[in-house]
Amino acid sequence: MAGQTSDFPAMHFPALLAAGGLIDQATFLSGVKGFLTIYYLGLAITNAVAAFLLWHHWHRPKAALVWTIVATVFGGILAPMAGSGDPYWTPRMPEAIVSFLNSWLSGQVGAIVYTIGSVVFLSVLYLGRDFFVRPMVAWTGLNLALLAMGLSMVNQNFWQVVSKGDNIPIVGLMFLLGFFTWLATYRAVINDKRIAEGLPPLEKLDDEKVLVWPDLVYTELVCMLALTAFLLVWGILIQAPLEQPASSVKTPNPSKAPWYFLGLQEMLVYFDPWMAGVVAPSLIIVGLMAIPYLDFNKKGMGYYTINERKFAYLNFQFGFLVLWVTLIVMGTVLRGPNWNFFGPFEPWDSHKVEALKNVDLSEYFWIGLLNRGLPKAPTGSGFFVELGYILLRESPGFILMGIYLFVVPPALAIGTTLFRNMYLKMGFLRYMLMTNLLLMMAILPIKMALRWSFNLKYIIHIDEWFLNF
Amino acid sequence: MAEKKKLSTAEILAMARGKAAEASAAKPAGESPSPESAAPASELPAASAEPDSAAAVEKKPAPKPAAKGGARPSVAEMMAMARAQGGAKSAAPAEKPPTEKKPVEKPAAKPAAVKPAAEKSAPAKSGGPKDTASILAAARGAKPGPMTKAEAAAAATSPPAKPKAVAPPMPTKPDYAKPSPKPVAKAVSADESRRGFLHVMLGSFLGIGMTSLASVSALWTLGFARFMFPNILTEPPSRFKAGPKEGFSPGTVEEKFKAQYGVWVVNGDYNGQQQIYALKTVCTHLGCTPNWLEAEQKFKCPCHGSGFYKDGINFEGPAPRPLERYAIRIADDGQVEIDRSRTFQEELGQWADPASFIPATA
């Protein structure tokens, strides 16, 4: 656990700072029992408020009864159990789930399972959105997630990850993002139903003009004050995640980017720094800027909808939720020392060996397939001879990339109705631009999958000029 | 006064019209009772209206803006003014119409005072319903006052010649703004051009200001440039002695120079050849400092997981090329000397350079 000890929030247990790693579970629990009690009590109060609102405001006594029971369980049973600080009584994740998650979310397999799993999970949520956005279902999901969180925090390894000052915003992000995605989807589902019935969307019903001054400005003022107060409390309660004095020879292990850049850091694992650090982020920005010029769908302005903008919606959610947010969560929770993959409850062993031997596409082709050495210019040959040899060596990669970027789009236009309609509406240039941007976005998961499954390092690898892809 | 605020524009206009009618009715009654206007005058109890409007005029602080010398009055004030005028008009004739004496002594009521005179000039025309636009215009003070619809129609047919917007004469160009005579030929003597330069630089306040700004900026730049060449460098020297060659036993990675010099001295096998070489402790991916993992016999970068064999060759993670070597040699005193000013890259074939390693025996 070297390198991770100093990151504990000192508020909870200074004893742990000295312990340097995993400590006796009873000692650990006596440190966190206060927090856990407050956590479960908070859950109880939240559910009690929900039950009260259901009964009093929305007149649904049965639902109110259910959530009253839930609140009672949280406040009356789980909170005192957690407050006991006793390893036996404290509610915790069942051992079966812990070992299951640890074995499936660890190492190379873990990367694949996590990525595919999150895509499948989000797809299920998307396809079953009519069901999942129902307030009662969503509230149940939130409660389950928070309960899983509370049960997991009893595990010291998990606790070390989520309670680190750097990572608290990400835990918050997961829940906040879940809430806002739910809110948008909820309204979109309602609107889609209304549109199918020939009614105007909700937003058009309440089209009253609202003034910037005073309506908006007052709201902003209140938000500003509330946020400032919140940040003050945060700043007082949680210590800044400071580390040892900077040294050019000692890099913390693991070395993590600020949380909002963890997606980029994950990208850097699969691409050359020039590509992942400069070209890809620029492409993201340019691509976002290009959307208004590529989008010919005039529907969906000023109201939430999914059915009217399926293509745009799915692309955005894939780029944002899958390629950005899940990578942030992955970088936070699952990446450990030496940037290896660790299960959420797995100890961070900096000596964990992962057998990796990355191979370039050119090596696969020339050595693996043709069973001969890489083409190499004779020593002392001129620039153009060397250039020719390099191009020959990397020709498989160039040909593959050429096919990917310039043959796949026409093939899509010919083969699928969706893309054919787009081609007809957008014209050649706009169509190629859009498909190329899409394909560049898609190459990240493709490259990740290739790395995990074939240990593929670079498709095009020209060290001589720092051109790797 | 309080209920007046509640009046709508239409009501105010109606009131203004009514008061103007009263005025025109009252005036002829006092001046020259003509048969047409005498009849409405007897119908409208002019006397009962008078005290009201007169009181209104006296109490009213509204026409103040007029006194403030042309500050544009608000709509409410305009309306109040229109009312005041109506009142003044109806009051004035009752007191002593022909005289020049102002009905109200306040200077604020100046527009009101002008009215009787204006009306006197054309008393015959004043009669009949007033034109709304003209009432408002009169209130704005631009036009003589409320006029009858007939007048408005006449005005529309023959619009009064508007005062032409006369552009004020252009000020004469100051000397510095005049186009300077073009340098016809380059026959200007060196002396003149030098003087011209000085004139531009120091001839005016602007010139002096810009010149001093430029000089100060230049000084700042120079001073900043000086920072790039500090008097004392705390960096370790680029060459250092690492002790005798025998200190590096075969198969070991010496880490003690990492902290100060950023160097691993390795006695290892490269391409079947036992060598002592100095590896730079900078990952070739993004420049983090990897760690030597003795148990796994590899260098591992904590940032993105790049891994390097003991000879520095990259094999896992994203690092695109092997670690770099520093120049290494046996110095004259028999010690191993490492020169960090020269690096050797494997992918460029530079590790074959004898300056990049010391041959060793396994």
Side-chain angles (χ1 to χ4, degrees):
Chain A
M1 294 323 299
Q4 274 304 302
T5 51
S6 59
D7 302 317
F8 264 88
M11 62 180 265
H12 290 310
F13 26 4
L16 264 192
L17 292 173
L22 295 194
I23 54 169
D24 177 44
Q25 182 71 5
T27 321
F28 168 77
L29 284 179
S30 69
V32 292
K33 67 181 179 188
F35 171 77
L36 284 176
T37 315
I38 294 171
Y39 182 84
Y40 284 117
L41 281 180
L43 282 182
I45 291 169
T46 318
N47 276 302
V49 169
F52 175 76
L53 285 176
L54 276 170
W55 169 67
H56 188 260
H57 207 69
W58 292 302
H59 309 292
R60 296 182 56 186
K62 273 187 204 163
L65 184 68
V66 171
W67 295 112
T68 314
I69 294 170
V70 172
T72 318
V73 170
F74 275 133
I77 301 175
L78 292 181
M81 276 168 78
S84 70
D86 187 283
Y88 180 75
W89 283 108
T90 307
R92 60 188 175 277
M93 213 52 152
E95 202 49 47
I97 296 182
V98 169
S99 55
F100 176 82
L101 286 178
N102 270 351
S103 57
W104 282 102
L105 284 178
S106 172
Q108 292 282 86
V109 185
I112 298 169
V113 169
Y114 172 77
T115 312
I116 294 178
S118 45
V119 171
V120 167
F121 174 70
L122 291 171
S123 307
V124 167
L125 286 185
Y126 167 76
L127 292 174
R129 60 186 181 279
D130 285 359
F131 172 74
F132 288 112
V133 296
R134 287 183 201 167
M136 283 303 107
V137 179
W139 187 254
T140 312
L142 176 67
N143 266 299
L144 284 177
L146 287 169
L147 176 66
M149 183 90 190
L151 294 180
S152 305
M153 280 193 290
V154 179
N155 185 291
Q156 289 188 42
N157 296 305
F158 189 84
W159 171 264
Q160 279 194 331
V161 173
V162 294
S163 72
K164 198 181 166 206
D166 286 315
N167 297 347
I168 293 172
I170 300 164
V171 178
L173 171 139
M174 288 167 70
F175 287 101
L176 267 184
L177 201 74
F179 169 71
F180 284 118
T181 310
W182 168 78
L183 185 67
T185 318
Y186 177 63
R187 303 205 55 151
V189 165
I190 294 177
N191 278 346
D192 286 341
K193 262 186 207 140
R194 292 178 62 91
I195 291 166
E197 288 165 10
L199 296 167
L202 283 178
E203 284 80 0
K204 300 278 173 204
L205 298 181
D206 187 21
D207 233 1
E208 204 185 329
K209 197 164 99 176
V210 177
L211 299 172
V212 170
W213 173 267
D215 298 321
L216 176 68
V217 178
Y218 272 29
T219 314
E220 284 176 348
L221 176 75
V222 172
C223 290
M224 193 182 81
L225 290 176
L227 196 65
T228 309
F230 172 71
L231 285 179
L232 271 177
V233 173
W234 182 321
I236 290 166
L237 282 186
I238 297 168
Q239 301 304 312
L242 297 180
E243 300 182 2
Q244 63 269 48
S247 157
S248 60
V249 292
K250 194 165 182 214
T251 312
N253 191 8
S255 242
K256 292 192 178 180
W259 63 268
Y260 40 85
F261 278 152
L262 279 174
L264 278 184
Q265 192 177 7
E266 193 59 36
M267 238 156 67
L268 279 164
V269 176
Y270 309 98
F271 292 98
D272 184 79
W274 167 245
M275 279 295 155
V278 181
V279 176
S282 316
L283 263 180
I284 293 173
I285 293 168
V286 169
L288 286 173
M289 281 158 63
I291 285 175
Y293 303 96
L294 300 174
D295 183 20
F296 54 81
N297 186 353
K298 289 196 170 58
K299 289 179 186 163
M301 280 195 203
Y303 56 92
Y304 293 100
T305 176
I306 290 176
N307 286 350
E308 289 194 341
R309 301 187 64 88
K310 256 192 190 143
F311 183 76
Y313 177 83
L314 285 177
N315 268 313
F316 174 79
Q317 293 295 45
F318 181 73
F320 180 61
L321 285 184
V322 178
L323 292 189
W324 197 250
V325 175
T326 60
L327 288 189
I328 287 178
V329 174
M330 176 168 150
T332 309
V333 181
L334 301 177
R335 286 292 193 181
N338 297 329
W339 214 243
N340 283 333
F341 235 83
F342 289 85
F345 307 103
E346 192 178 343
W348 278 13
D349 174 14
S350 58
H351 291 284
K352 177 179 177 178
V353 178
E354 285 199 34
L356 289 172
K357 173 86 175 77
N358 292 333
V359 184
D360 290 322
L361 181 70
S362 51
E363 290 170 343
Y364 269 121
F365 181 77
W366 293 107
I367 301 172
L369 197 67
L370 300 187
N371 209 8
R372 47 193 267 197
L374 288 177
K376 199 164 192 277
T379 39
S381 49
F383 174 77
F384 287 103
V385 178
E386 209 163 308
L387 174 68
Y389 270 99
I390 289 172
L391 291 182
L392 176 68
R393 186 187 73 206
E394 300 300 331
S395 53
F398 277 115
I399 291 171
L400 263 189
M401 284 309 291
I403 290 174
Y404 183 69
L405 290 180
F406 299 108
V407 180
V408 169
L412 280 175
I414 294 166
T416 63
T417 339
L418 175 75
F419 281 91
R420 191 179 313 136
N421 286 340
M422 282 185 186
Y423 177 74
L424 292 177
K425 278 191 181 149
M426 298 172 82
F428 178 74
L429 257 185
R430 284 211 298 165
Y431 175 76
M432 285 304 279
L433 183 60
M434 185 208 65
T435 42
N436 266 309
L437 285 171
L438 276 186
L439 290 171
M440 288 308 283
M441 179 169 89
I443 203 159
L444 172 63
I446 291 175
K447 185 84 189 285
M448 287 162 85
L450 288 175
R451 172 69 63 81
W452 294 330
S453 45
F454 298 107
N455 278 337
L456 181 78
K457 186 181 211 172
Y458 289 122
I459 299 168
I460 297 171
H461 186 177
I462 305 179
D463 259 349
E464 292 83 348
W465 307 325
F466 299 100
L467 186 81
N468 307 302
F469 193 75
Chain B
M1 291 264 108
E3 76 271 12
K4 276 208 171 162
K5 279 180 190 160
K6 287 175 191 163
L7 294 180
S8 72
T9 313
E11 283 167 339
I12 292 167
L13 280 174
M15 221 163 76
R17 263 189 216 125
K19 280 173 186 166
E22 282 168 24
S24 58
K27 207 185 317 170
E31 214 173 25
S32 58
S34 64
E36 318 94 78
S37 51
S42 60
E43 279 169 31
L44 287 169
S48 68
E50 270 166 30
D52 255 358
S53 43
V57 170
E58 276 157 18
K59 281 185 195 169
K60 218 162 222 74
K64 250 182 221 156
K68 274 186 190 162
R72 195 178 160 82
S74 75
V75 176
E77 284 164 349
M78 277 189 245
M79 284 308 190
M81 244 155 69
R83 262 179 243 130
Q85 280 169 23
K89 256 178 270 159
S90 56
E95 283 171 28
K96 205 178 278 180
T99 55
E100 293 296 319
K101 187 196 159 200
K102 292 167 188 172
V104 183
E105 288 306 318
K106 285 180 196 166
K110 204 180 268 173
V114 178
K115 284 294 129 57
E119 273 173 39
K120 221 171 62 179
S121 62
K125 281 180 197 165
S126 62
K130 298 286 187 205
D131 180 54
T132 311
S134 72
I135 294 172
L136 279 173
R140 287 206 176 90
K143 283 185 184 165
M147 42 184 178
T148 61
K149 290 214 164 146
E151 272 176 327
T157 48
S158 62
K162 275 184 188 168
K164 246 190 184 174
V166 182
M170 288 289 282
T172 50
K173 271 189 181 175
D175 283 344
Y176 61 81
K178 277 179 184 161
S180 54
K182 279 181 186 168
V184 184
K186 293 184 174 93
V188 189
S189 74
D191 192 40
E192 266 180 9
S193 72
R194 220 179 292 143
R195 221 175 281 156
F197 174 76
L198 270 182
H199 183 74
V200 169
M201 299 295 281
L202 302 169
S204 62
F205 284 118
L206 183 74
I208 292 169
M210 290 313 249
T211 308
S212 31
L213 183 69
S215 345
V216 172
S217 314
L219 279 176
W220 270 104
T221 312
L222 284 177
F224 183 71
R226 179 65 181 77
F227 270 106
M228 301 295 162
F229 304 95
N231 293 333
I232 296 170
L233 263 180
T234 50
E235 288 172 10
S238 67
R239 282 161 189 262
F240 69 96
K241 298 271 173 64
K245 181 182 161 186
E246 288 69 35
F248 306 101
S249 52
T252 55
V253 173
E254 183 52 74
E255 285 209 88
K256 71 180 173 194
F257 305 108
K258 185 183 173 188
Q260 195 182 354
Y261 298 105
V263 173
W264 287 299
V265 184
V266 188
N267 186 342
D269 175 276
Y270 173 64
N271 281 354
Q273 203 185 349
Q274 196 68 22
Q275 299 176 342
I276 296 175
Y277 44 86
L279 289 174
K280 186 178 173 182
T281 62
V282 173
C283 179
T284 51
H285 178 233
L286 262 186
C288 293
T289 309
N291 300 308
W292 168 246
L293 305 180
E294 184 68 39
E296 292 88 36
Q297 290 286 302
K298 68 179 179 188
F299 301 100
K300 185 78 176 168
C301 181
C303 291
H304 305 92
S306 293
F308 306 87
Y309 292 128
K310 196 196 272 181
D311 56 7
I313 304 290
N314 53 321
F315 71 102
E316 65 181 358
R321 54 199 184 85
L323 295 172
E324 291 177 11
R325 279 185 186 182
Y326 283 129
I328 190 169
R329 69 181 186 112
I330 301 284
D332 300 336
D333 58 0
Q335 288 198 57
V336 172
E337 188 189 62
I338 292 158
D339 180 4
R340 297 190 304 137
S341 61
R342 287 176 72 195
T343 57
F344 298 87
Q345 301 180 12
E346 195 267 350
E347 74 277 8
L348 301 180
Q350 291 168 344
W351 283 11
D353 192 321
S356 72
F357 63 89
I358 299 170
T361 48

